[in-house]
Amino acid sequence: MARNTDLVRVGQLIAVRPVHHLLRGIFIDRTGDKERCRPRWMATELFSRLDSLPLGLGELLRHPDGLWWISDSSLPRTLA
């Protein structure tokens, strides 16, 4: 993320700045295996009054093996 200054990590979300009325980013979803994850791209509006952040539009990022390995050194480059 040091290479991409427009990205910011907030918990399980890597968001694209600037954030005004639309939030865009990659949501890193958990799996039953602590070494693997299921990332999805997402976009949602921020002008609705909500108690939680819905994913809005989005889709899983496919990987040939199904789930992504967190230890995979190519993961940050692939998601950026």
Side-chain angles (χ1 to χ4, degrees):
M1 296 221 300
R3 186 181 67 156
N4 298 80
T5 58
D6 59 336
L7 300 179
V8 62
R9 181 173 176 248
V10 181
Q12 291 176 260
L13 177 68
I14 299 173
V16 180
R17 291 190 277 195
V19 175
H20 296 290
H21 300 295
L22 183 68
L23 177 62
R24 304 171 293 148
I26 303 283
F27 184 77
I28 309 296
D29 203 1
R30 298 179 200 174
T31 66
D33 183 347
K34 68 179 183 177
E35 298 298 323
R36 303 195 75 182
C37 65
R38 185 179 293 125
R40 71 173 61 232
W41 67 267
M42 56 80 62
T44 191
E45 83 281 346
L46 296 176
F47 47 82
S48 297
R49 184 180 171 144
L50 302 169
D51 293 332
S52 63
L53 182 66
L55 291 179
L57 298 173
E59 187 172 315
L60 287 173
L61 298 173
R62 305 286 179 213
H63 190 276
D65 297 332
L67 299 176
W68 297 66
W69 289 97
I70 293 174
S71 60
D72 182 358
S73 62
S74 69
L75 183 62
R77 272 191 322 275
T78 305
L79 297 180

